[in-house]
């Protein structure tokens, strides 16, 4: 009898191909299938030539080459194609078989798929996959959630191919039920949006206000890889800024300043609004990408609204220190808001997400991997009900220490007409969160005036509501 595969992979995009190579390298028997070009045979005649991957010529052939319980790993674009493949697979599978969706699916779709497939006896897992092409090949961060009984059948496979922390822990563990894995991946991507925009704002400050060259900026970012800012995005930024084109000029200067996106940042903002969580920084990062696409309009407006010219009389190290502090403070808020959103979703949907464990899953392999994720993990280990990361003693001390630098950077940016939406938003959030008395009392009075929406009084029972004929 022919040997059966441990897992089957459908989808031969960049991520799918590299995950197959990763699985094969870890001695996990894989059957591959792609209904369109490139076919699995194209793969086996190319980069998969020396692998033990089994080819499948059809969906029926694919399912027939899987050992029980069958484990099908979908690595295709989220949306219609994912749904189509699930519908094609379902009649071919048996009770107890498992479908794993590794695309960036909306967690609400994953919720529905779990419910529908569980009624048919099929286990469904929505698994966030982060790390890009390199991570897929060498060890991604994996965030699985869905039908819990599936985990015992797939844990060894995915924990073996996942990235590992410095102490050897796999960056892959069970998140929770239903769409929790895809929700966590969505928040990961939202934080990624925020991190990238913050770095870009700091670069813009260096380049436009301080007139630092790309090489000088690169040096500063490289120095930060030996600080609390050490992270994958800081590391690649240092490399990008010094990269030269064929004419020996910096390539970054030749790239059009119009940013794209795939939607997960937008989903994060939408869910924050629906759950009532002030995820202001990530939302600003999404809007910044939208604003960047208005290139022609921005060119016209730039000739109308003239920016001041700043005269820098401080040395480079002075600004490097200030900018390091400002970026660190805003970065902490970026993660803090993301964790607030995950906590609220976990409470709302009874997912029981372990936020300390999430931090470790992101410690390596993913795009937002950062040295201070270990400290975030400790914060939530010490207090699993921590409402705001900044209330943890370690992060509280950092924020208090760097606030003066952060305020100076933001103030100078505003004075010089430099857009720093995420840097400003993060600081405003912290100032609002730490403000005992906000002007919402006036806002409630306004609402009551025009709409009889009522209000509470500070000198009365908090459960009692009042209306005034103003």
């Amino acid at each position: 009898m022919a040997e059966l595969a441990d897992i089957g992979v459908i989808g031969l995009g960049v991520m799918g191909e590299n995950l197959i190579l990763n699985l094969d390298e870890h001695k996990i028997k894989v059957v591959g299938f792609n209904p369109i070009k490139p076919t699995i045979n194209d793969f086996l005649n190319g980069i998969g030539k020396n692998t033990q991957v089994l080819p499948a010529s059809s969906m029926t052939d694919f399912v027939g080459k899987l050992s029980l319980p069958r484990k099908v790993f979908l690595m295709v674009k989220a949306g219609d194609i994912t749904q189509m493949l699930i519908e094609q697979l379902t009649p071919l599978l048996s009770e107890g078989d498992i479908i794993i969706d590794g695309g960036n699916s909306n967690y609400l779709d994953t919720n529905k798929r779990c419910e529908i497939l569980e009624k048919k006896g099929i286990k469904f897992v929505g698994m966030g996959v982060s790390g890009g092409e390199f991570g897929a090949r060498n060890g991604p961060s994996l965030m699985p959630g869905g039908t819990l009984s599936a985990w015992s059948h797939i844990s060894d496979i995915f924990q073996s191919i996942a990235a590992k922390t410095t102490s050897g822990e796999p960056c892959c563990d069970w998140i929770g039920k239903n769409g929790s894995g895809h929700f966590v991946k969505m928040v990961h991507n939202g934080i990624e949006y925020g991190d990238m925009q913050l770095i870009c704002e700091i670069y813009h400050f260096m380049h436009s206000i301080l007139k630092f060259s790309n090489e000088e900026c690169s040096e500063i970012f490289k120095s930060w890889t030996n600080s609390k800012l050490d992270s994958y995005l800081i590391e690649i930024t240092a490399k990008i800024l010094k990269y030269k084109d064929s004419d020996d000029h910096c390539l970054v200067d030749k790239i059009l300043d119009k940013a794209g996106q795939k939607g997960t940042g937008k989903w994060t903002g939408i869910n924050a609004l629906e759950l009532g969580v002030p995820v202001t920084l990530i939302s600003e990062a999404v809007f910044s990408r939208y604003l960047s696409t208005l290139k022609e309009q921005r060119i016209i407006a730039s000739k109308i609204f003239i920016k001041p010219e700043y005269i820098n009389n401080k040395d480079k190290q002075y600004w490097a220190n200030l900018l390091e502090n400002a970026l660190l403070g805003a970065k902490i808020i970026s993660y803090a808001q993301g964790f607030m959103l995950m906590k609220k979703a976990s409470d709302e949907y009874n997912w029981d997400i372990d936020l300390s464990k999430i931090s470790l899953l992101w410690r390596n392999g993913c795009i937002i991997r950062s040295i201070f994720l270990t400290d975030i993990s400790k914060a939530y280990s010490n207090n699993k009900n921590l409402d705001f990361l900044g209330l943890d003693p370690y992060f509280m001390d950092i924020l208090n220490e760097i606030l003066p630098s952060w305020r100076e950077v933001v103030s100078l940016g505003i004075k010089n007409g430099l857009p720093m939406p995420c840097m400003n938003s993060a600081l405003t959030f912290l100032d609002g969160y730490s403000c005992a008395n906000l002007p919402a009392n006036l806002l409630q009075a306004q609402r009551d005036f025009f709409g009889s929406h009522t209000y509470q009084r500070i000198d009365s029972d908090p459960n009692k509501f009042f209306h005034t004929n103003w």
Side-chain angles (χ1 to χ4, degrees), residues 296-315:
E296 293 75 18
Q297 296 177 43
R298 289 190 287 114
I299 291 173
I300 293 169
S302 70
K303 298 171 183 175
I304 300 169
F305 303 101
I306 308 303
K307 312 287 186 185
E309 280 292 329
Y310 175 69
I311 299 173
N312 179 24
N313 56 9
K314 304 285 178 60
D315 64 29

Side-chain angles (χ1 to χ4, degrees), residues 201-202 205 209-210 318-327 402-416 418 420 423-424 427:
E201 289 176 16
I202 292 296
F205 190 103
I209 293 184
L210 304 178
Y318 170 85
W319 282 112
N321 293 339
L322 248 63
L323 293 169
E324 178 183 355
N325 286 339
L327 182 55
I402 59 89
L403 265 170
S405 299
W406 191 359
R407 294 191 192 283
E408 186 170 346
V409 168
V410 167
S411 298
L412 188 60
I414 291 172
K415 284 181 181 178
N416 287 273
L418 189 79
M420 302 184 78
M423 193 66 63
N424 296 352
L427 182 57

Side-chain angles (χ1 to χ4, degrees), residues 170-188:
C171 295
C172 170
D173 208 343
W174 191 251
I175 302 295
K177 62 185 179 180
N178 298 328
S180 57
H182 276 142
F183 190 93
V184 167
K185 175 56 170 35
M186 175 194 74
V187 175
H188 164 283

